[in-house]
Amino acid sequence: MLKYGVLGSGIGYTLSPKIHSIVFDKLGVNASYDVIDLPTDGLPSEIKRLKDEYDGFNVTKPFKTEIIKHLDEVKCSLGAVNTVRRENGTFVGYNTDVKGFYLSLTHMTGEIKGQSILVLGAGGASEAVISALVTAGADVSVNNRTTVKAVALADKYRIKVWNGEKPTVIINATSLGLDGISNPLPNGVDTSECKYAYDLIYKPSETPFMTFCKKAGAKVSNGLGMLVYQAILADEIFLGQSLDVDGLYEEIMKIIVE
Ligand code: NDP
């Protein structure tokens, strides 16, 4: 039996076991998928056991960067890994958040080349989002509470720090809204031309950001689709085979969206 899991801290809520079990059942793969919930300082003492026991694992907060020093090879350009696979006795890191986000966003928007996209936030998830949007040819700007982090991302990806332009698409990659109350939109943002708003948060399923943008006339989505797509893409890596990504996505969404 193959053994996989998701490694993180404080992740008792995670939907990942459910999503991966649907994929494994569908494909007839004999595999388990655990929640590996460690204290925030627990990685150094646990990494050997994880490597001994697991064929691969997903990585989430707060270990996406810290895991890298424990890997033999990293096959992504971001400083963040969300998928680790044992390959001939070595451990190789990948990032499926970038493509997972892109597939989920464009599921709603279609082609995004040339769109004026405002990204809120400058943490790890924001970098995955910006990387995907820049690769797709969008006109991206970034806004963040801590300006120096927005400037660093803007320099790295050759995008703008937001300066009051009217966006046609807004992405919330901050954690504001997890409480069901806070809205991450910066003061003065003009949403009159905003056609689409995407929140990486998926719990609550409708955030204040989504409600606000919907009222302003935008089509909105939460981040559940990103979670599902990144998981299917991780399964392609774990199993070393191409999957019917969109077909699996539709089936999983039917099951997990109440
Ligand atoms: P980080 O901790 O790396 O970044 C958090 C971001 O939120 C930073 O930009 C931070 O700003 C901002 N922020 C936090 N609190 C406040 C506040 N009170 N006021 C203003 N800004 C604030 O987190 P991640 O980038 O890893 O995750 C961001 C969000 O994306 C989370 O909600 C996470 O659940 C979600 N996510 C969803 C995924 C999915 O599959 N749907 C995948 C990955 C993440 P500052 O820099 O100033 O601190």
Side-chain angles (χ1 to χ4, degrees), residues 47-71:
I47 187 68
K48 184 177 178 316
R49 177 182 73 81
L50 299 180
K51 286 178 169 177
D52 287 345
E53 287 184 16
Y54 286 89
D55 297 289
F57 45 88
N58 292 117
V59 185
T60 188
K61 261 191 101 123
F63 301 124
K64 284 185 182 181
T65 300
E66 187 186 350
I67 191 71
I68 290 175
K69 62 174 177 277
H70 300 288
L71 302 177

PDB file of all heavy atoms in Angstrom, residues 47-71:
ATOM      1  N   ILE A  47      11.344  14.817  10.453  1.00  0.00           N
ATOM      2  CA  ILE A  47      11.551  14.642   9.014  1.00  0.00           C
ATOM      3  C   ILE A  47      12.083  13.237   8.665  1.00  0.00           C
ATOM      4  O   ILE A  47      11.683  12.645   7.654  1.00  0.00           O
ATOM      5  CB  ILE A  47      12.462  15.764   8.425  1.00  0.00           C
ATOM      6  CG1 ILE A  47      12.533  15.663   6.906  1.00  0.00           C
ATOM      7  CG2 ILE A  47      13.833  15.794   9.046  1.00  0.00           C
ATOM      8  CD1 ILE A  47      11.265  15.979   6.172  1.00  0.00           C
ATOM      9  N   LYS A  48      12.952  12.677   9.528  1.00  0.00           N
ATOM     10  CA  LYS A  48      13.495  11.349   9.213  1.00  0.00           C
ATOM     11  C   LYS A  48      12.372  10.303   9.203  1.00  0.00           C
ATOM     12  O   LYS A  48      12.277   9.476   8.292  1.00  0.00           O
ATOM     13  CB  LYS A  48      14.596  10.973  10.213  1.00  0.00           C
ATOM     14  CG  LYS A  48      15.238   9.647   9.858  1.00  0.00           C
ATOM     15  CD  LYS A  48      16.378   9.239  10.736  1.00  0.00           C
ATOM     16  CE  LYS A  48      16.949   7.877  10.348  1.00  0.00           C
ATOM     17  NZ  LYS A  48      15.981   6.846  10.073  1.00  0.00           N
ATOM     18  N   ARG A  49      11.510  10.370  10.223  1.00  0.00           N
ATOM     19  CA  ARG A  49      10.385   9.426  10.275  1.00  0.00           C
ATOM     20  C   ARG A  49       9.486   9.580   9.035  1.00  0.00           C
ATOM     21  O   ARG A  49       9.064   8.589   8.437  1.00  0.00           O
ATOM     22  CB  ARG A  49       9.557   9.677  11.542  1.00  0.00           C
ATOM     23  CG  ARG A  49       8.334   8.804  11.659  1.00  0.00           C
ATOM     24  CD  ARG A  49       7.512   9.101  12.909  1.00  0.00           C
ATOM     25  NE  ARG A  49       6.759  10.348  12.868  1.00  0.00           N
ATOM     26  CZ  ARG A  49       5.576  10.502  12.255  1.00  0.00           C
ATOM     27  NH1 ARG A  49       5.028   9.483  11.608  1.00  0.00           N
ATOM     28  NH2 ARG A  49       4.954  11.665  12.282  1.00  0.00           N
ATOM     29  N   LEU A  50       9.231  10.812   8.654  1.00  0.00           N
ATOM     30  CA  LEU A  50       8.365  11.035   7.488  1.00  0.00           C
ATOM     31  C   LEU A  50       8.980  10.422   6.230  1.00  0.00           C
ATOM     32  O   LEU A  50       8.292   9.778   5.434  1.00  0.00           O
ATOM     33  CB  LEU A  50       8.123  12.536   7.270  1.00  0.00           C
ATOM     34  CG  LEU A  50       7.430  13.277   8.406  1.00  0.00           C
ATOM     35  CD1 LEU A  50       7.250  14.750   8.068  1.00  0.00           C
ATOM     36  CD2 LEU A  50       6.075  12.647   8.704  1.00  0.00           C
ATOM     37  N   LYS A  51      10.302  10.616   6.088  1.00  0.00           N
ATOM     38  CA  LYS A  51      10.968  10.069   4.901  1.00  0.00           C
ATOM     39  C   LYS A  51      10.990   8.542   4.933  1.00  0.00           C
ATOM     40  O   LYS A  51      10.912   7.882   3.898  1.00  0.00           O
ATOM     41  CB  LYS A  51      12.397  10.617   4.795  1.00  0.00           C
ATOM     42  CG  LYS A  51      12.454  12.072   4.342  1.00  0.00           C
ATOM     43  CD  LYS A  51      13.907  12.544   4.306  1.00  0.00           C
ATOM     44  CE  LYS A  51      14.044  13.867   3.608  1.00  0.00           C
ATOM     45  NZ  LYS A  51      15.452  14.353   3.638  1.00  0.00           N
ATOM     46  N   ASP A  52      11.100   7.981   6.131  1.00  0.00           N
ATOM     47  CA  ASP A  52      11.095   6.518   6.254  1.00  0.00           C
ATOM     48  C   ASP A  52       9.720   5.945   5.928  1.00  0.00           C
ATOM     49  O   ASP A  52       9.601   4.892   5.315  1.00  0.00           O
ATOM     50  CB  ASP A  52      11.476   6.096   7.685  1.00  0.00           C
ATOM     51  CG  ASP A  52      12.962   6.302   7.968  1.00  0.00           C
ATOM     52  OD1 ASP A  52      13.720   6.494   6.987  1.00  0.00           O
ATOM     53  OD2 ASP A  52      13.350   6.297   9.158  1.00  0.00           O
ATOM     54  N   GLU A  53       8.674   6.662   6.350  1.00  0.00           N
ATOM     55  CA  GLU A  53       7.325   6.084   6.288  1.00  0.00           C
ATOM     56  C   GLU A  53       6.544   6.403   5.025  1.00  0.00           C
ATOM     57  O   GLU A  53       5.677   5.627   4.621  1.00  0.00           O
ATOM     58  CB  GLU A  53       6.489   6.589   7.492  1.00  0.00           C
ATOM     59  CG  GLU A  53       6.879   5.964   8.797  1.00  0.00           C
ATOM     60  CD  GLU A  53       5.958   6.416   9.928  1.00  0.00           C
ATOM     61  OE1 GLU A  53       4.864   6.963   9.662  1.00  0.00           O
ATOM     62  OE2 GLU A  53       6.357   6.223  11.092  1.00  0.00           O
ATOM     63  N   TYR A  54       6.809   7.561   4.404  1.00  0.00           N
ATOM     64  CA  TYR A  54       5.897   8.041   3.357  1.00  0.00           C
ATOM     65  C   TYR A  54       6.506   7.951   1.953  1.00  0.00           C
ATOM     66  O   TYR A  54       7.694   8.158   1.759  1.00  0.00           O
ATOM     67  CB  TYR A  54       5.470   9.488   3.644  1.00  0.00           C
ATOM     68  CG  TYR A  54       4.482   9.559   4.792  1.00  0.00           C
ATOM     69  CD1 TYR A  54       4.925   9.684   6.113  1.00  0.00           C
ATOM     70  CD2 TYR A  54       3.117   9.449   4.568  1.00  0.00           C
ATOM     71  CE1 TYR A  54       4.029   9.718   7.172  1.00  0.00           C
ATOM     72  CE2 TYR A  54       2.211   9.483   5.620  1.00  0.00           C
ATOM     73  CZ  TYR A  54       2.664   9.622   6.913  1.00  0.00           C
ATOM     74  OH  TYR A  54       1.767   9.642   7.952  1.00  0.00           O
ATOM     75  N   ASP A  55       5.636   7.658   0.988  1.00  0.00           N
ATOM     76  CA  ASP A  55       6.039   7.687  -0.427  1.00  0.00           C
ATOM     77  C   ASP A  55       5.996   9.113  -0.954  1.00  0.00           C
ATOM     78  O   ASP A  55       6.617   9.423  -1.972  1.00  0.00           O
ATOM     79  CB  ASP A  55       5.096   6.803  -1.249  1.00  0.00           C
ATOM     80  CG  ASP A  55       5.200   5.354  -0.818  1.00  0.00           C
ATOM     81  OD1 ASP A  55       6.243   4.744  -1.113  1.00  0.00           O
ATOM     82  OD2 ASP A  55       4.279   4.846  -0.135  1.00  0.00           O
ATOM     83  N   GLY A  56       5.236   9.954  -0.261  1.00  0.00           N
ATOM     84  CA  GLY A  56       5.154  11.361  -0.653  1.00  0.00           C
ATOM     85  C   GLY A  56       4.214  12.069   0.291  1.00  0.00           C
ATOM     86  O   GLY A  56       3.442  11.427   0.997  1.00  0.00           O
ATOM     87  N   PHE A  57       4.323  13.385   0.311  1.00  0.00           N
ATOM     88  CA  PHE A  57       3.374  14.144   1.135  1.00  0.00           C
ATOM     89  C   PHE A  57       3.214  15.559   0.589  1.00  0.00           C
ATOM     90  O   PHE A  57       4.099  16.083  -0.071  1.00  0.00           O
ATOM     91  CB  PHE A  57       3.773  14.175   2.616  1.00  0.00           C
ATOM     92  CG  PHE A  57       5.222  14.465   2.890  1.00  0.00           C
ATOM     93  CD1 PHE A  57       5.675  15.764   3.012  1.00  0.00           C
ATOM     94  CD2 PHE A  57       6.138  13.418   3.018  1.00  0.00           C
ATOM     95  CE1 PHE A  57       7.010  16.031   3.279  1.00  0.00           C
ATOM     96  CE2 PHE A  57       7.479  13.682   3.273  1.00  0.00           C
ATOM     97  CZ  PHE A  57       7.915  14.986   3.401  1.00  0.00           C
ATOM     98  N   ASN A  58       2.030  16.099   0.840  1.00  0.00           N
ATOM     99  CA  ASN A  58       1.798  17.513   0.559  1.00  0.00           C
ATOM    100  C   ASN A  58       2.284  18.312   1.754  1.00  0.00           C
ATOM    101  O   ASN A  58       2.367  17.791   2.866  1.00  0.00           O
ATOM    102  CB  ASN A  58       0.320  17.779   0.291  1.00  0.00           C
ATOM    103  CG  ASN A  58      -0.117  17.144  -1.012  1.00  0.00           C
ATOM    104  OD1 ASN A  58      -0.963  16.263  -1.044  1.00  0.00           O
ATOM    105  ND2 ASN A  58       0.497  17.579  -2.092  1.00  0.00           N
ATOM    106  N   VAL A  59       2.595  19.573   1.501  1.00  0.00           N
ATOM    107  CA  VAL A  59       3.124  20.436   2.554  1.00  0.00           C
ATOM    108  C   VAL A  59       2.292  21.712   2.585  1.00  0.00           C
ATOM    109  O   VAL A  59       2.020  22.313   1.544  1.00  0.00           O
ATOM    110  CB  VAL A  59       4.602  20.801   2.281  1.00  0.00           C
ATOM    111  CG1 VAL A  59       5.174  21.592   3.443  1.00  0.00           C
ATOM    112  CG2 VAL A  59       5.427  19.552   2.012  1.00  0.00           C
ATOM    113  N   THR A  60       1.860  22.081   3.783  1.00  0.00           N
ATOM    114  CA  THR A  60       1.120  23.334   3.905  1.00  0.00           C
ATOM    115  C   THR A  60       1.693  24.146   5.044  1.00  0.00           C
ATOM    116  O   THR A  60       2.765  23.851   5.570  1.00  0.00           O
ATOM    117  CB  THR A  60      -0.404  23.041   4.020  1.00  0.00           C
ATOM    118  OG1 THR A  60      -1.105  24.286   3.959  1.00  0.00           O
ATOM    119  CG2 THR A  60      -0.784  22.321   5.301  1.00  0.00           C
ATOM    120  N   LYS A  61       0.974  25.216   5.420  1.00  0.00           N
ATOM    121  CA  LYS A  61       1.453  26.149   6.436  1.00  0.00           C
ATOM    122  C   LYS A  61       1.892  25.456   7.711  1.00  0.00           C
ATOM    123  O   LYS A  61       1.170  24.595   8.164  1.00  0.00           O
ATOM    124  CB  LYS A  61       0.328  27.126   6.779  1.00  0.00           C
ATOM    125  CG  LYS A  61       0.440  28.448   6.084  1.00  0.00           C
ATOM    126  CD  LYS A  61      -0.541  29.422   6.666  1.00  0.00           C
ATOM    127  CE  LYS A  61       0.197  30.327   7.595  1.00  0.00           C
ATOM    128  NZ  LYS A  61       0.112  31.732   7.335  1.00  0.00           N
ATOM    129  N   PRO A  62       2.998  25.751   8.342  1.00  0.00           N
ATOM    130  CA  PRO A  62       3.977  26.786   7.958  1.00  0.00           C
ATOM    131  C   PRO A  62       5.254  26.203   7.355  1.00  0.00           C
ATOM    132  O   PRO A  62       6.314  26.812   7.467  1.00  0.00           O
ATOM    133  CB  PRO A  62       4.289  27.423   9.315  1.00  0.00           C
ATOM    134  CG  PRO A  62       4.280  26.237  10.254  1.00  0.00           C
ATOM    135  CD  PRO A  62       3.273  25.251   9.713  1.00  0.00           C
ATOM    136  N   PHE A  63       5.168  25.033   6.711  1.00  0.00           N
ATOM    137  CA  PHE A  63       6.400  24.319   6.351  1.00  0.00           C
ATOM    138  C   PHE A  63       6.806  24.402   4.876  1.00  0.00           C
ATOM    139  O   PHE A  63       7.753  23.739   4.463  1.00  0.00           O
ATOM    140  CB  PHE A  63       6.263  22.833   6.742  1.00  0.00           C
ATOM    141  CG  PHE A  63       6.005  22.619   8.214  1.00  0.00           C
ATOM    142  CD1 PHE A  63       4.896  21.894   8.647  1.00  0.00           C
ATOM    143  CD2 PHE A  63       6.857  23.137   9.175  1.00  0.00           C
ATOM    144  CE1 PHE A  63       4.649  21.686  10.004  1.00  0.00           C
ATOM    145  CE2 PHE A  63       6.623  22.938  10.538  1.00  0.00           C
ATOM    146  CZ  PHE A  63       5.514  22.216  10.948  1.00  0.00           C
ATOM    147  N   LYS A  64       6.084  25.191   4.076  1.00  0.00           N
ATOM    148  CA  LYS A  64       6.330  25.161   2.622  1.00  0.00           C
ATOM    149  C   LYS A  64       7.750  25.612   2.250  1.00  0.00           C
ATOM    150  O   LYS A  64       8.296  25.175   1.247  1.00  0.00           O
ATOM    151  CB  LYS A  64       5.314  26.045   1.889  1.00  0.00           C
ATOM    152  CG  LYS A  64       3.936  25.399   1.777  1.00  0.00           C
ATOM    153  CD  LYS A  64       2.992  26.265   0.946  1.00  0.00           C
ATOM    154  CE  LYS A  64       1.619  25.621   0.901  1.00  0.00           C
ATOM    155  NZ  LYS A  64       0.659  26.382   0.095  1.00  0.00           N
ATOM    156  N   THR A  65       8.321  26.513   3.030  1.00  0.00           N
ATOM    157  CA  THR A  65       9.698  26.957   2.753  1.00  0.00           C
ATOM    158  C   THR A  65      10.700  26.132   3.555  1.00  0.00           C
ATOM    159  O   THR A  65      11.731  25.693   3.025  1.00  0.00           O
ATOM    160  CB  THR A  65       9.841  28.459   3.104  1.00  0.00           C
ATOM    161  OG1 THR A  65       8.915  29.177   2.288  1.00  0.00           O
ATOM    162  CG2 THR A  65      11.238  28.969   2.836  1.00  0.00           C
ATOM    163  N   GLU A  66      10.373  25.873   4.810  1.00  0.00           N
ATOM    164  CA  GLU A  66      11.308  25.148   5.693  1.00  0.00           C
ATOM    165  C   GLU A  66      11.617  23.743   5.165  1.00  0.00           C
ATOM    166  O   GLU A  66      12.723  23.235   5.358  1.00  0.00           O
ATOM    167  CB  GLU A  66      10.703  25.049   7.103  1.00  0.00           C
ATOM    168  CG  GLU A  66      11.663  24.474   8.131  1.00  0.00           C
ATOM    169  CD  GLU A  66      11.001  24.239   9.493  1.00  0.00           C
ATOM    170  OE1 GLU A  66       9.854  24.682   9.709  1.00  0.00           O
ATOM    171  OE2 GLU A  66      11.668  23.582  10.333  1.00  0.00           O
ATOM    172  N   ILE A  67      10.673  23.126   4.469  1.00  0.00           N
ATOM    173  CA  ILE A  67      10.876  21.753   3.988  1.00  0.00           C
ATOM    174  C   ILE A  67      12.041  21.669   2.992  1.00  0.00           C
ATOM    175  O   ILE A  67      12.718  20.642   2.885  1.00  0.00           O
ATOM    176  CB  ILE A  67       9.572  21.201   3.345  1.00  0.00           C
ATOM    177  CG1 ILE A  67       9.655  19.681   3.075  1.00  0.00           C
ATOM    178  CG2 ILE A  67       9.230  21.918   2.053  1.00  0.00           C
ATOM    179  CD1 ILE A  67       9.615  18.826   4.259  1.00  0.00           C
ATOM    180  N   ILE A  68      12.292  22.792   2.297  1.00  0.00           N
ATOM    181  CA  ILE A  68      13.235  22.747   1.169  1.00  0.00           C
ATOM    182  C   ILE A  68      14.620  22.258   1.587  1.00  0.00           C
ATOM    183  O   ILE A  68      15.257  21.468   0.887  1.00  0.00           O
ATOM    184  CB  ILE A  68      13.297  24.130   0.470  1.00  0.00           C
ATOM    185  CG1 ILE A  68      11.971  24.363  -0.264  1.00  0.00           C
ATOM    186  CG2 ILE A  68      14.484  24.227  -0.485  1.00  0.00           C
ATOM    187  CD1 ILE A  68      11.816  25.737  -0.902  1.00  0.00           C
ATOM    188  N   LYS A  69      15.083  22.673   2.760  1.00  0.00           N
ATOM    189  CA  LYS A  69      16.451  22.277   3.160  1.00  0.00           C
ATOM    190  C   LYS A  69      16.555  20.777   3.471  1.00  0.00           C
ATOM    191  O   LYS A  69      17.649  20.240   3.588  1.00  0.00           O
ATOM    192  CB  LYS A  69      16.964  23.132   4.317  1.00  0.00           C
ATOM    193  CG  LYS A  69      16.186  23.047   5.613  1.00  0.00           C
ATOM    194  CD  LYS A  69      16.953  23.861   6.679  1.00  0.00           C
ATOM    195  CE  LYS A  69      16.250  23.914   8.008  1.00  0.00           C
ATOM    196  NZ  LYS A  69      15.212  24.941   8.087  1.00  0.00           N
ATOM    197  N   HIS A  70      15.422  20.108   3.576  1.00  0.00           N
ATOM    198  CA  HIS A  70      15.444  18.672   3.853  1.00  0.00           C
ATOM    199  C   HIS A  70      15.296  17.838   2.564  1.00  0.00           C
ATOM    200  O   HIS A  70      15.194  16.610   2.638  1.00  0.00           O
ATOM    201  CB  HIS A  70      14.306  18.309   4.812  1.00  0.00           C
ATOM    202  CG  HIS A  70      14.394  19.027   6.136  1.00  0.00           C
ATOM    203  ND1 HIS A  70      15.346  18.719   7.084  1.00  0.00           N
ATOM    204  CD2 HIS A  70      13.680  20.060   6.640  1.00  0.00           C
ATOM    205  CE1 HIS A  70      15.184  19.516   8.136  1.00  0.00           C
ATOM    206  NE2 HIS A  70      14.183  20.336   7.890  1.00  0.00           N
ATOM    207  N   LEU A  71      15.252  18.499   1.405  1.00  0.00           N
ATOM    208  CA  LEU A  71      15.011  17.786   0.146  1.00  0.00           C
ATOM    209  C   LEU A  71      16.307  17.636  -0.646  1.00  0.00           C
ATOM    210  O   LEU A  71      17.234  18.424  -0.504  1.00  0.00           O
ATOM    211  CB  LEU A  71      13.968  18.535  -0.688  1.00  0.00           C
ATOM    212  CG  LEU A  71      12.607  18.745   0.003  1.00  0.00           C
ATOM    213  CD1 LEU A  71      11.673  19.559  -0.886  1.00  0.00           C
ATOM    214  CD2 LEU A  71      11.969  17.412   0.400  1.00  0.00           C
TER     215      LEU A  71
END
